[in-house]
């Protein structure tokens, strides 16, 4: 299990081949086994390929506005700085690696509006709930999906533009207004030759984010 968790990585370049429907369903079934409030399974998984996927990418490109840079109020300046520093370190490491491999930076950035060119995109929608518990459950489902997809040789990447542009996407796909689009996941077979799929990645030493209060 730990090997599988660590082996999953964000994939940002894909082959054109569309994964079989049965394989996608297998991953989605695993998604549906995520913990969720009183087993209400309040989610909807919207699988897109071809024209509908292109239409969503178009809606994103036309309407994307990045979220404001600063964090909302309760975050102290010290915490903001700490998080910003981590973001910057990761970003510079990624830039340096891609530059070294002569990778076109613009296409890397554009990928955020195009599901990174994946042949399939899945939107994870959920019905509203006052304490956001439905939303939390859907994030757990997304992780299940990505882990099983990775175990089956599929590549995935989380697509934040879906929630940012959700009003436009809902209109484009004629989805009900009440559905919250948590985010999307790009899905396909990884391009093994693309440097963007080999960006070095790491995590903080675990003790840096653990607080022991009982020992
Ligand atoms: C909420 C969230 C939003 C993300 N949005 C994007 C995105 O829009 N584009 C993208 O390429 N990766 C996106 N990612 C993937 C992260 O960049 C990635 O998980 C992180 O850099 C760690 O790399 P890894 O997934 O390879 O371990 C997102 C991840 C999360 C959890």
């Amino acid at each position: 299990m730990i090997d599988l968790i660590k082996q999953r990585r964000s994939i940002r370049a894909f082959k054109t081949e569309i994964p079989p429907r049965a394989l996608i369903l297998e991953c989605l079934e695993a998604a549906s086994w995520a913990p969720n409030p009183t087993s209400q399974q309040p989610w909807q998984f919207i699988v897109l390929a071809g024209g509908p996927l292109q239409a969503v990418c178009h809606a994103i490109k036309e309407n994307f506005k990045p979220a404001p840079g600063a964090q909302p109020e309760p975050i102290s300046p010290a915490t903001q700085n700490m998080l910003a520093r981590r973001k910057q370190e990761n970003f510079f490491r990624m830039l340096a690696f891609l530059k070294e491999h002569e990778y076109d930076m613009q296409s890397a950035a554009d990928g955020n509006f195009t599901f990174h060119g994946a042949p399939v995109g899945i939107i994870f929608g959920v019905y509203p709930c006052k304490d956001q518990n439905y939303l939390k459950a859907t994030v757990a489902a997304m992780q299940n999906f990505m882990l099983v997809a990775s175990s089956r040789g599929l590549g995935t990447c989380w697509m934040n533009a879906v929630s940012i542009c959700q009003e436009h996407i809902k209109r484009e796909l004629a989805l009900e207004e009440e559905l919250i689009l948590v985010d999307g996941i790009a899905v396909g077979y990884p391009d093994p030759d693309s440097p963007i799929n080999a960006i070095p990645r790491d995590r903080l030493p675990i003790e840096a984010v653990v607080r022991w209060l009982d020992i």
Side-chain angles (χ1 to χ4, degrees):
M1 193 68 198
I2 291 175
D3 289 346
L4 172 62
I5 288 168
K6 290 186 177 178
Q7 165 222 298
R8 182 219 54 85
R9 59 172 301 145
S10 294
I11 292 298
R12 299 186 176 92
F14 296 88
K15 297 181 181 173
T16 50
E17 183 185 349
I18 299 182
R21 190 180 273 238
L23 181 53
I24 294 170
L25 272 180
E26 188 184 17
C27 302
L28 286 173
E29 211 232 340
S32 78
W33 279 92
N36 68 92
T38 52
S39 211
Q40 292 168 79
Q41 301 155 76
W43 40 54
Q44 291 282 299
F45 308 137
I46 300 146
V47 185
L48 307 160
L53 180 57
Q54 291 312 314
V56 167
C57 293
H58 183 73
I60 290 172
K61 272 185 263 180
E62 291 294 303
N63 298 293
F64 186 86
K65 283 195 197 70
Q71 294 282 4
E73 250 316 295
I75 297 195
S76 68
T79 306
Q80 280 201 39
N81 287 341
M82 184 255 299
L83 294 172
R85 199 179 55 247
R86 287 185 196 161
K87 182 175 178 176
Q88 210 174 35
E89 281 167 8
N90 183 57
F91 191 63
F92 284 147
R93 189 178 49 174
M94 184 186 81
L95 280 186
F97 181 84
L98 291 178
K99 207 168 163 194
E100 187 188 326
H101 289 80
E102 295 175 356
Y103 194 87
D104 175 24
M105 301 304 297
Q106 192 56 48
S107 76
D110 289 349
N112 290 315
F113 308 135
T114 62
F115 281 73
H116 292 296
V120 173
I122 303 185
I123 291 176
F124 288 75
V126 71
Y127 295 109
C129 173
K130 64 176 165 33
D131 52 14
Q132 304 211 15
N133 278 350
Y134 291 173
L135 194 129
K136 298 170 204 170
T138 307
V139 173
M142 292 172 76
Q143 174 71 347
N144 273 10
F145 178 90
M146 290 190 288
L147 288 176
V148 175
S150 176
S151 80
R152 297 288 190 260
L154 290 174
T156 60
C157 189
W158 195 297
M159 300 284 31
N160 194 210
V162 167
S163 55
I164 294 172
C165 300
Q166 61 179 297
E167 296 313 324
H168 300 278
I169 294 172
K170 281 193 275 191
R171 221 170 296 140
E172 186 64 44
L173 299 178
L175 297 172
E176 56 272 46
E177 188 50 42
E178 63 183 357
L179 204 60
I180 296 166
L181 306 189
V182 179
D183 257 334
I185 296 183
V187 185
Y189 293 105
D191 175 351
D193 302 321
S194 177
I196 204 167
N197 290 338
I199 294 171
R201 46 200 279 283
D202 65 7
R203 294 296 190 265
L204 294 168
I206 190 57
E207 288 286 6
V209 291
V210 175
R211 300 181 194 191
W212 302 101
L213 298 185
D214 60 340
I215 297 177

